Amino acid sequence: MWPQVSAEALFWLGVVSVLSIFGSIGGVAWFIARMPADYFTHEKREPVRELYRWPLLRYLVVALKNVVGAVLIAFGLVLLFTPGQGALTILVGVMLLNFPGKYRLERWFITRRGVLDGLNWARARLGKGPVEDPADP
């Protein structure tokens, strides 16, 4: 037996769904626009230690960043099978997560067919220059 769902609940579920789609697209666009053009060209990513002076604030920001990254990866997986930029959304989600080997995975991911082109297409639409290819010397 399926539970009874009211029309009002379905309406609000639809509203939340549409708002989350536009919110995630806007968030990915904001992140892509702020990304430095040479983000993928470094051999090793150096941690930013002086960014947060208060440990509690740092832990809260890192936890929030990881939650948002996981949500973006899940949403990106859905977008792989529906219209949208699934690969870019997954890339941004991975970039927000903290785990060992993350930078190596980011560099591998950006070299997959179409990902760098899609990223640079989005940056051009936002009035930003292209991201440098990590494979170029």
Side-chain angles (χ1 to χ4, degrees):
M1 272 277 162
W2 291 95
Q4 292 293 330
V5 179
S6 70
E8 185 179 356
L10 287 175
F11 170 77
W12 285 111
L13 184 62
V15 168
V16 168
S17 177
V18 168
L19 289 176
S20 67
I21 288 171
F22 286 116
S24 67
I25 290 171
V28 168
W30 177 83
F31 191 85
I32 288 172
R34 293 185 45 94
M35 180 187 307
D38 66 345
Y39 182 85
F40 298 105
T41 58
H42 306 287
E43 286 298 317
K44 183 179 176 187
R45 176 73 51 216
E46 294 296 324
V48 181
R49 298 192 191 283
E50 62 275 347
L51 186 58
Y52 306 108
R53 292 186 177 171
W54 300 281
L56 180 60
L57 178 62
R58 179 173 183 219
Y59 291 127
L60 287 173
V61 168
V62 168
L64 180 63
K65 190 173 71 111
N66 280 295
V67 167
V68 170
V71 168
L72 284 175
I73 289 173
F75 188 65
L77 289 171
V78 171
L79 287 177
L80 286 176
F81 303 103
T82 61
Q85 293 289 338
L88 289 180
T89 306
I90 292 171
L91 176 64
V92 171
V94 168
M95 292 171 74
L96 288 173
L97 293 177
N98 290 0
F99 59 89
K102 174 181 96 165
Y103 187 60
R104 218 171 331 133
L105 177 63
E106 290 171 350
R107 288 184 60 160
W108 174 85
F109 194 75
I110 199 69
T111 61
R112 301 301 94 191
R113 185 177 51 125
V115 175
L116 183 61
D117 293 337
L119 181 65
N120 285 334
W121 175 84
R123 285 178 60 90
R125 301 265 314 190
L126 295 167
K128 299 293 180 178
V131 172
E132 298 171 17
D133 189 345
D136 288 342

